Amino acid sequence: PPVLKDEPPPSAGTASLSASCFIFLLFFTLYLHTSPPTIAPYRDAGEMLVVAHSLSVAHPPSYPLYTLVGKIFAQIPLGNLAFRLNILSALAGAAAVAMLFYILSLHLGKLPAFLSAACLGILPTFCHVSQVSEMYSLHLLFALILLHLAWPREKSLPDNRFLLFCFLYGLFLGNRLDLILWAPAYGSLIWRTGGEGLSSFRIRRPPILFGFFFFLLGFSVYLYLPLRSAQAPWLDWNHPALLKNFIGSLSRKSYGATLDLLSKQYQTGELFLPNLIENAKHILQGIGWIGIFLCLFGFFHLMRSERDLWMSTLLGYFFSGPLFLYLANMPPNPHSMAIVEPHYLFSDIFPLLWMAYGIYILAQRTRWLTLPCMIQLLLLLLSHAPHSNRRWNLLAHDYARNLLAAAPSESLLLVREDVQLFSLWHQQQVLGKRPEIPILAQGLSGSPWYQKNFTRQYPIPQPVLLKTNDTSSWRKAKDLFALRMFATHDAELPPKIPALPYGLAVEIFPSIKSIPPPWTFYIFRGKHRYEHQSDFFASDLVEAYAQGWYRQASLKNLGDSSESVAIRKELNLAWSIKEDIPEIPLSLGVLESNRGRWPMAQHYFQRTCETYEVLEHLTQKYHSLPSLKEAIRTASANAYLNLGVALEKKGENSEAERMYEEALRKNPALAQAHYNRAILYWNQDWNKVMGELQEALRIDPGHAPARAALLQVERRGK
């Protein structure tokens, strides 16, 4: 098979550069057009905005290079700060696509380079990171710049190019440390460089020593962390001014009390295969079946013709792909996949390179290859377009604005999840909205560095660790702050803690019995339906509105006919936003039961059971923790119990008995199901009645109806 063109004609570089500029403008226009005009509902976007605005210290490993570059872009007099950093990501994303094209065009020609680079450019995951204030698109650009330096057109790698590579490698690690995963690929590429220069670096020590010095010089960007931390910035995550904290930040061992711990609840490698499958789906989404064929074709031909280069790409893919997934060990649920998916982009470059090589080989054998490749690219573009546009996505901005606008004076707001927390930080620190309302991060509340940081942000006492299984710690916090405490719906509250719904939040330990709902203070822009969102984080914010309406309805008495109209309206509003909250149709079913409308009650209870069945299936698919599986299974048992009652009231006793049996199968400790079966057998089989009542009392000795019924049966027997 043909080999790669190591030395193209001099004009090839100029032509490739011109084409790269065109591709850069094309994709920058695309990303700029689809970027949101303000903060995006995406992972750490709000935190990055705050860090760039105040030159603070972000969560480990703290991303000092992105912070400094972001501060530079923050000075651009164009739109708001969030839009400026979105532009930074759009520029970096378009430059990464253009850089991939430039690298591949130098070695493989323009057609393979364009098709591979375009597949990267239209991939929804890459579009998303090129639209938001995150460091991922910049990360991929830096990785490709280093790839270009380590994979020269010439047969030798000059010393000055090697030294530049070393310096930039150290510097670019200041954007994301996982760039180290490409080190085996870079090292292998440099090793394979033939001819003069560093091919003999094993005996030429000065270039290696100088290279190490230049690497440290670039890596010194991390000195920003202790220097800035010592100045007490607005956010000083982990306080890296202390040496042990600085080391902990670099190693991510000091992330937080509840963060980065999910994977540790599984055995090492337990979720490796499910993660590989999800990664394979991601690659298929990016290049299609034709691309998969070309990728495999190019992979095996590269192995035969350019074994050294093949080994370099294989090492790069292995360390940034399978090895990373093995170590990450995250369950394949939507939340975890939304966190892991941007990391896929780092390993995507190698399948795209193999695909480009496959196109390069086949294009020399047939001229008809261009047509199916272009059709495949067009089909990918059409399928990706609906999921890649954030132009008017204002969910994060409006969510944080709504919470703060409705917050009463002298109150505190407790938040757990990142997007919600960081969006509120953005409102306060960047936009200056309601800075007097303390925002407390539940997951960080027990960290000493955060407690000190909190008292600098807000002039109130240091918080205490809020335990999800200890109501006393929450009462202690309430007394300590002497403020009204509100918690967003993502917060994990102890069971049975007094809480009063308040729109997008609940008041903890409320001082009054009812609060006027703040919905009139809220603004609603965009599509507030769960299934209409393009990613998990936007869906999560939309779900908060559904939870707000549901909790407001659940506060009312379902048996009070005077409130039934209001309850039904609120429940239907919540259900229209998110359909797979099983408690909503369950409440509607209870509402109909109280009115004696058993056919409608059966309908709602049936929908509840169907929703729980879907959730149970998803817990298996997502490899959820046993505690979550058990909680959903137990809750579904109650739904089947209610469905059995509705069927029994309609006279469908055989179906009712089947539902009671299903309820007991899911929760053998459900005493009420045994009692209901006893009533079902009444006047038909007294032995069964006796047995069911005795079993109900064995499970729950305090079950008063079962005890009273058993006394009746015993008297009847006597």
Side-chain angles (χ1 to χ4, degrees):
V3 296
L4 297 186
K5 300 177 291 184
D6 285 326
E7 292 188 6
S11 59
T14 304
S16 297
L17 183 60
S18 300
S20 299
C21 292
F22 171 77
I23 289 176
F24 167 78
L25 292 175
L26 176 66
F27 281 94
F28 176 65
T29 302
L30 172 66
Y31 299 148
L32 186 63
H33 176 74
T34 56
S35 293
T38 182
I39 181 175
Y42 194 83
R43 294 200 62 189
D44 306 322
E47 183 193 5
M48 294 301 107
L49 290 171
V50 169
V51 166
H53 173 74
S54 59
L55 277 181
S56 293
V57 177
H59 68 268
S62 303
Y63 319 107
L65 182 59
Y66 181 83
T67 300
L68 297 173
V69 174
K71 184 63 175 180
I72 294 173
F73 267 77
Q75 310 309 311
I76 299 175
L78 179 64
N80 54 65
L81 174 64
F83 184 64
R84 296 169 197 172
L85 293 195
N86 294 345
I87 291 177
L88 168 61
S89 294
L91 286 169
V97 176
M99 178 59 70
L100 179 61
F101 169 82
Y102 182 71
I103 294 171
L104 295 178
S105 65
L106 288 179
H107 297 277
L108 301 173
K110 292 185 178 58
L111 175 63
F114 172 75
L115 292 172
S116 292
C119 283
L120 173 67
I122 65 174
L123 185 64
T125 305
F126 189 72
C127 288
H128 289 171
V129 300
S130 299
Q131 298 163 346
V132 303
S133 52
E134 284 267 23
M135 75 296 295
Y136 291 105
S137 61
L138 199 62
H139 180 48
L140 204 60
L141 172 61
F142 290 160
L144 290 170
I145 290 174
L146 293 174
L147 179 63
H148 174 58
L149 291 174
W151 188 14
R153 293 169 56 189
E154 305 82 8
K155 287 187 177 180
S156 62
L157 185 66
D159 288 351
N160 58 353
R161 183 166 179 151
F162 173 71
L163 296 179
L164 177 62
F165 170 86
C166 293
F167 171 75
L168 291 180
Y169 199 3
L171 179 66
F172 292 165
L173 284 171
N175 185 62
R176 285 193 66 87
L177 274 175
D178 53 359
L179 188 59
I180 200 72
L181 295 174
W182 271 27
Y186 292 141
S188 180
L189 283 170
I190 293 173
W191 179 276
R192 69 178 285 272
T193 306
E196 301 176 357
L198 288 175
S199 60
S200 58
F201 75 90
R202 284 168 290 180
I203 60 174
R204 296 184 63 214
R205 296 181 181 179
I208 300 302
L209 295 177
F210 281 128
F212 184 66
F213 169 77
F214 275 85
F215 172 84
L216 291 180
L217 185 63
F219 195 72
S220 66
V221 69
Y222 272 96
L223 293 177
Y224 164 84
L225 301 183
L227 293 175
R228 182 59 179 148
S229 175
Q231 299 173 10
W234 188 84
L235 179 62
D236 184 20
W237 202 302
N238 194 42
H239 189 55
L242 299 178
L243 179 60
K244 68 173 184 178
N245 291 2
F246 177 61
I247 296 174
S249 292
L250 291 181
S251 61
R252 289 175 64 94
K253 291 183 178 179
S254 304
Y255 201 158
T258 62
L259 304 175
D260 271 7
L261 296 180
L262 180 59
S263 64
K264 296 180 180 179
Q265 300 185 49
Y266 298 88
Q267 294 182 1
T268 303
E270 178 182 350
L271 302 174
F272 180 52
L273 182 58
N275 275 274
L276 276 184
I277 294 173
E278 292 298 322
N279 184 233
K281 292 178 181 178
H282 166 84
I283 295 175
L284 177 60
Q285 179 192 34
I287 62 179
W289 286 109
I290 294 178
I292 293 292
F293 165 75
L294 293 170
C295 174
L296 295 174
F297 183 81
F299 176 84
F300 288 110
H301 274 266
L302 188 63
M303 180 175 61
R304 291 173 53 194
S305 61
E306 289 282 327
R307 187 168 292 272
D308 289 342
L309 179 60
W310 170 79
M311 180 57 67
S312 299
T313 59
L314 184 61
L315 286 172
Y317 176 73
F318 173 77
F319 280 92
S320 61
L323 180 63
F324 170 81
L325 295 176
Y326 179 84
L327 297 175
N329 203 37
M330 295 290 277
N333 61 55
H335 190 184
S336 298
M337 289 300 98
I339 294 173
V340 173
E341 194 172 25
H343 297 273
Y344 290 162
L345 298 170
F346 204 33
S347 60
D348 285 348
I349 297 301
F350 301 102
L352 289 172
L353 189 151
W354 297 328
M355 185 183 78
Y357 185 66
I359 297 171
Y360 167 70
I361 296 296
L362 288 177
Q364 294 183 343
R365 301 180 180 182
T366 173
R367 65 181 62 182
W368 299 108
L369 179 65
T370 303
L371 181 60
C373 288
M374 287 298 182
I375 293 175
Q376 173 78 88
L377 186 62
L378 179 61
L379 292 175
L380 290 173
L381 177 62
L382 293 176
S383 65
H384 295 342
H387 309 288
S388 304
N389 191 355
R390 296 171 177 265
R391 183 169 177 79
W392 295 113
N393 191 324
L394 303 169
L395 287 172
H397 175 86
D398 289 349
Y399 172 85
R401 178 264 174 203
N402 288 341
L403 275 169
L404 290 176
S409 58
E410 297 185 352
S411 62
L412 175 142
L413 194 56
L414 176 78
V415 192
R416 185 177 69 90
E417 293 184 358
D418 291 350
V419 173
Q420 290 85 326
L421 173 66
F422 300 154
S423 298
L424 289 164
W425 282 357
H426 169 258
Q427 283 281 326
Q428 286 192 331
Q429 179 64 15
V430 178
L431 302 182
K433 305 295 185 181
R434 302 297 302 273
E436 75 280 5
I437 303 294
I439 308 296
L440 179 60
Q442 181 180 1
L444 301 173
S445 61
S447 302
W449 71 264
Y450 178 74
Q451 294 175 346
K452 295 178 181 178
N453 195 93
F454 184 82
T455 56
R456 288 204 314 273
Q457 294 172 340
Y458 312 102
I460 58 177
Q462 292 184 3
V464 296
L465 174 61
L466 297 173
K467 302 177 182 178
T468 57
N469 58 352
D470 180 15
T471 306
S472 63
S473 65
W474 296 73
R475 172 61 72 179
K476 181 179 179 181
K478 166 75 172 176
D479 297 338
L480 178 67
F481 295 133
L483 298 170
R484 296 174 66 182
M485 286 184 63
F486 292 84
T488 53
H489 295 307
D490 60 282
E492 295 182 347
L493 306 180
K496 298 182 180 180
I497 190 173
L500 193 63
Y502 185 70
L504 290 173
V506 295
E507 183 174 6
I508 305 169
F509 301 113
S511 56
I512 54 179
K513 294 184 178 180
S514 64
I515 311 176
W519 299 107
T520 54
F521 293 99
Y522 291 170
I523 55 176
F524 298 87
R525 293 183 286 185
K527 299 177 180 179
H528 281 71
R529 284 185 64 86
Y530 189 87
E531 64 271 16
H532 288 169
Q533 308 310 314
S534 59
D535 58 68
F536 169 82
F537 301 109
S539 302
D540 196 36
L541 292 182
V542 168
E543 183 180 358
Y545 291 89
Q547 291 288 351
W549 284 115
Y550 164 69
R551 291 190 176 187
Q552 181 174 309
S554 64
L555 184 67
K556 298 180 173 66
N557 182 6
L558 294 177
D560 189 344
S561 59
S562 64
E563 290 191 308
S564 62
V565 175
I567 295 173
R568 183 176 287 104
K569 176 182 177 181
E570 292 163 356
L571 289 174
N572 283 323
L573 273 171
W575 209 13
S576 68
I577 295 173
K578 192 172 190 292
E579 294 183 350
D580 61 350
I581 301 178
E583 293 84 359
I584 297 175
L586 181 65
S587 298
L588 287 167
V590 172
L591 196 65
E592 297 298 337
S593 299
N594 291 333
R595 298 180 61 189
R597 298 176 58 178
W598 296 109
M600 285 301 298
Q602 177 192 347
H603 166 73
Y604 286 124
F605 291 143
Q606 184 69 45
R607 289 290 301 272
T608 306
C609 294
E610 292 170 356
T611 303
Y612 273 121
E613 290 297 331
V614 172
L615 293 179
E616 282 194 71
H617 170 72
L618 291 178
T619 60
Q620 298 295 331
K621 177 182 177 181
Y622 297 152
H623 296 262
S624 301
L625 295 171
S627 58
L628 178 59
K629 293 180 180 179
E630 180 62 26
I632 292 179
R633 188 163 49 247
T634 301
S636 69
N638 291 320
Y640 278 99
L641 180 68
N642 281 280
L643 178 57
V645 171
L647 290 167
E648 185 179 349
K649 291 293 184 180
K650 290 177 60 183
E652 301 178 23
N653 290 352
S654 61
E655 283 298 305
E657 183 179 10
R658 192 167 65 85
M659 292 303 105
Y660 295 146
E661 290 175 356
E662 183 66 15
L664 287 170
R665 186 183 70 82
K666 292 179 177 295
N667 182 14
L670 190 59
Q672 185 65 32
H674 287 288
Y675 172 75
N676 285 9
R677 289 214 300 185
I679 301 304
L680 193 65
Y681 301 143
W682 201 270
N683 288 329
Q684 297 180 21
D685 189 331
W686 292 107
N687 290 330
K688 284 187 177 181
V689 171
M690 178 75 75
E692 294 293 342
L693 291 174
Q694 289 174 343
E695 184 64 17
L697 289 171
R698 184 191 67 80
I699 296 171
D700 181 11
H703 198 292
R707 186 168 298 281
L710 184 60
L711 288 175
Q712 282 187 320
V713 174
E714 291 173 345
R715 292 194 190 103
R716 183 184 182 89
K718 292 179 181 179

